[in-house]
Amino acid sequence: MRGAAHPARLRYDRAQLLVQRGDFLAGAAELDLYADVLEPVEPRTAETIRGRARAARAMLN
């Protein structure tokens, strides 16, 4: 990715790492923020990311 999209991708990578290490709430929050950035250009992908955020929150149960 180029330009301003690169920091957004880093947010996604950070979210993935947080979820992998068991910090589900923080990871889900980062995924939601990434989806917000992605929504205007990739609405379907943003919805997929929001699904991953929901899945991360579900791991708390």
Side-chain angles (χ1 to χ4, degrees):
M1 289 191 179
R2 298 173 306 208
H6 181 68
R9 178 59 195 208
L10 291 176
R11 181 176 299 271
Y12 178 75
D13 293 342
R14 173 174 155 61
Q16 297 257 77
L17 289 172
L18 288 168
V19 170
Q20 287 173 5
R21 69 168 236 218
D23 195 347
F24 303 119
L25 285 179
E30 289 289 332
L31 287 168
D32 283 333
L33 289 171
Y34 178 67
D36 290 344
V37 170
L38 205 57
E39 181 82 40
V41 290
E42 294 284 340
R44 288 185 182 176
T45 304
E47 187 54 37
T48 299
I49 299 300
R50 286 192 179 97
R52 291 180 185 162
R54 286 188 296 274
R57 286 185 188 95
M59 290 180 174
L60 291 169
N61 294 328

